[in-house]
Amino acid sequence: MAHVLIVGGGVVGLSTAWFLRERGEEVTVLDAGRAGMGASWGNAGWLTPGISTPLPDPAILAYGIKAVASPSSPVYMPVSFDPELWGFLLRFLRNSTPSRWMTAMRSLIGINVHAFDAFDALARGGADGVGRVEVPTHVPGKDGTAPFIAAYTDVRHRKGLQHEFDQIDAAGQPVSYQLLDGDEVRALIPNVSDAITAGIRLEDTRFIDPPRYVASLRAAVLARGVRIVEDTEVLGIDDDGPRVRLTFSPGVEPLSGDAVVVATGSLLGRLAKRLGVRTTVRAGRGYSFSVPADPMPTGPVYFPFERVACTPLADRFRVAGMMEFRRSTAPFDARRVAAIVRASKPLFRDLPTEGVGVDLADRADEWVGSRPCTPDGLPLIGATRSERVFVAGGHGMWGVTLGPATGQLLAEQITTGRTPPPLASFSPLR
Ligand SMILES: Cc1cc2nc3c(=O)[nH]c(=O)nc-3n(C[C@H](O)[C@H](O)[C@H](O)COP(=O)(O)OP(=O)(O)OC[C@H]3O[C@@H](n4cnc5c(N)ncnc54)[C@H](O)[C@@H]3O)c2cc1C
């Protein structure tokens, strides 16, 4: 039995730990804070492999530099001197062509098709019956939940998503959906305002309550016998030959293992660069908060034009949005939340005055987190220059959807020494 050290306890690191245990390895997860409190905590919780697409999208080019420099834009980049960021964006734009998007999309399909099976494996628990993730994945449109709805104030805007669905279909992954009018959307989600005139009902999706789900995943990993060491930042990785050594701040003893997995989300580059990983991972920061809703919507709602993503949590309604290309360590910026609130106001009925809708003024859990974005829109999963050090991350907008499948496939690679075909395009050394 090998001892694998996993640096980073987000959904990717915890899933990798779970599947490595399932294959009989001894595993230790180390996290700089508390496991599950990074990007994996405050996201929208959509499990949508059917529409998990590369982020560098030809439509991004249409936004233009002027739009992204405006603080109220849904894609925001502060005009600042940051050569690494500008280099990243240049490569990002170069990948935003239709042909590169199509190539990247075909690569993603390979892992997208494993996404739900991996969640089901976590829900079943290990072969020994231990380590079930108790918090369910909900299937919209089933068991009393509303379907996954995209909603629009202008029917013309719907063409954008339909075009994307056609492209996903052309890449080899059919998308199943139906068109709705405004009243049909309101019948399913009574909280949306009369301004909504069109919608799309998307099939083959699921969703989770992210804080509860990652807490349950953490508990399942512990139950399986994985050691989790928290509040411990890893500062370096040294491959000394047969063993790999993690180093910490002065005074903390190094820790050695047979293999290491770097799963540090948007900070992946800090440890992976010295291991030959040249692809930059940058934070695409997003914001979320929760509000009271009555009635509580029973499924996710997406407003593609405003880029606002909503999900019911246990007793509040989470509203998320924004793509802010800033350092993940930059402070929380209240103007971004204000921009999401401004964009959301016309979309919902106002609960305090109408008795139905959402109360955007009564916000809690205001949060910023970092999507780990790569310039080619593909994750980094596999071995580095060291055959004992692996990387798992860079999933951008889809790290929750693809986290468990990533852990499952990477555990196979680490324990068999063979790269599973779906991971072939995601080599961290590309
Ligand atoms: C607003 C928003 C909405 C989103 N919505 C969705 C969605 O609906 N569906 C979806 O699939 N995805 C969504 N995402 C993306 C998703 O949240 C991320 O892709 C995913 O959580 C990344 O997981 P991770 O495990 O790679 O990183 P993280 O969850 O960030 O975990 C990384 C961990 O590494 C630790 N760490 C970092 N450096 C070190 C170090 N040196 N030593 C020790 N530990 C370290 C951190 O403390 C952290 O716990 C959304 C993201 C945002 C911001």
Side-chain angles (χ1 to χ4, degrees):
M1 181 164 70
H3 183 194
V4 184
L5 308 175
I6 299 181
V7 189
V11 66
V12 174
L14 289 174
S15 299
T16 307
W18 196 96
F19 284 105
L20 279 168
R21 270 308 285 151
E22 182 66 3
R23 287 174 170 267
E25 307 297 359
E26 183 189 345
V27 185
T28 301
V29 176
L30 299 108
D31 199 287
R34 185 175 160 87
M37 295 304 287
S40 302
W41 189 88
N43 59 79
W46 299 355
L47 312 182
T48 45
I51 56 164
S52 296
T53 56
L55 185 59
D57 183 317
I60 298 261
L61 293 174
Y63 263 106
I65 279 297
K66 198 168 154 229
V68 298
S70 154
S72 60
S73 158
V75 181
Y76 176 61
M77 200 189 79
V79 183
S80 63
F81 183 70
D82 183 345
E84 199 199 86
L85 176 59
W86 285 98
F88 171 87
L89 288 170
L90 207 63
R91 285 193 295 280
F92 188 90
L93 291 179
R94 264 198 226 121
N95 283 304
S96 299
T97 62
S99 70
R100 291 204 182 179
W101 184 92
M102 189 55 85
T103 307
M105 184 65 229
R106 291 200 175 107
S107 299
L108 279 178
I109 291 174
I111 188 166
N112 284 347
V113 296
H114 291 282
F116 289 148
D117 286 349
F119 276 97
D120 290 341
L122 295 174
R124 276 194 306 272
D128 53 4
V130 178
R132 254 172 61 81
V133 176
E134 305 282 349
V135 171
T137 62
H138 303 288
V139 181
K142 293 221 171 95
D143 306 327
T145 57
F148 185 112
I149 301 291
Y152 297 88
T153 56
D154 184 334
V155 68
R156 287 169 300 179
H157 295 156
R158 191 164 65 182
K159 287 205 170 64
L161 201 55
Q162 283 182 275
H163 174 70
E164 193 169 328
F165 292 168
D166 290 344
Q167 298 303 302
I168 299 172
D169 204 324
Q173 185 174 284
V175 183
S176 173
Y177 68 94
Q178 291 153 40
L179 302 182
L180 307 175
D181 62 27
D183 288 337
E184 288 169 321
V185 173
R186 268 180 295 282
L188 293 163
I189 312 281
N191 313 68
V192 302
S193 72
D194 288 344
I196 298 299
T197 55
I200 295 178
R201 172 189 171 134
L202 181 64
E203 306 298 343
D204 307 323
T205 69
R206 299 190 195 179
F207 69 98
I208 54 167
D209 175 332
R212 289 181 63 232
Y213 190 87
V214 278
S216 179
L217 176 57
R218 180 179 174 279
V221 162
L222 282 170
R224 303 213 71 191
V226 170
R227 200 173 143 230
I228 299 184
V229 182
E230 297 181 320
D231 299 317
T232 304
E233 186 181 8
V234 174
L235 296 182
I237 302 173
D238 300 318
D239 182 353
D240 292 343
R243 304 272 288 169
V244 195
R245 200 159 45 106
L246 301 182
T247 55
F248 307 96
S249 53
V252 182
E253 276 295 299
L255 184 66
S256 292
D258 301 294
V260 166
V261 178
V262 182
T264 49
S266 62
L267 297 174
L268 206 76
R270 282 193 184 171
L271 292 171
K273 214 173 185 169
R274 272 175 285 160
L275 296 152
V277 179
R278 291 180 10 229
T279 302
T280 314
V281 177
R282 286 294 304 215
R285 301 204 320 167
Y287 289 73
S288 70
F289 52 83
S290 70
V291 293
D294 196 6
M296 178 58 77
T298 51
V301 194
Y302 178 30
F303 301 96
F305 189 72
E306 293 78 10
R307 295 185 181 248
V308 172
C310 306
T311 308
L313 303 181
D315 54 357
R316 290 177 70 90
F317 191 52
R318 178 170 279 178
V319 180
M322 195 60 63
M323 176 65 86
E324 182 193 43
F325 284 109
R326 263 173 110 178
R327 291 196 179 280
S328 57
T329 47
F332 175 90
D333 188 338
R335 290 175 305 173
R336 303 283 102 73
V337 167
I340 299 174
V341 172
R342 232 181 353 261
S344 305
K345 257 200 177 130
L347 309 172
F348 289 105
R349 298 177 71 178
D350 181 46
L351 180 57
T353 56
E354 299 183 61
V356 173
V358 304
D359 185 356
L360 288 164
D362 185 3
R363 296 188 297 280
D365 321 313
E366 291 189 344
W367 174 89
V368 62
S370 298
R371 302 173 186 90
C373 300
T374 59
D376 61 8
L378 296 180
L380 300 160
I381 312 168
T384 62
R385 207 164 49 197
S386 156
E387 60 188 20
R388 283 170 287 278
V389 184
F390 300 82
V391 159
H395 298 81
M397 311 224 304
W398 305 117
V400 176
T401 301
L402 300 178
T406 295
Q408 192 172 34
L409 293 162
L410 183 61
E412 181 185 336
Q413 177 168 347
I414 292 171
T415 51
T416 64
R418 287 187 304 275
T419 304
L423 299 188
S425 309
F426 306 147
S427 168
L429 298 179
R430 65 178 179 266

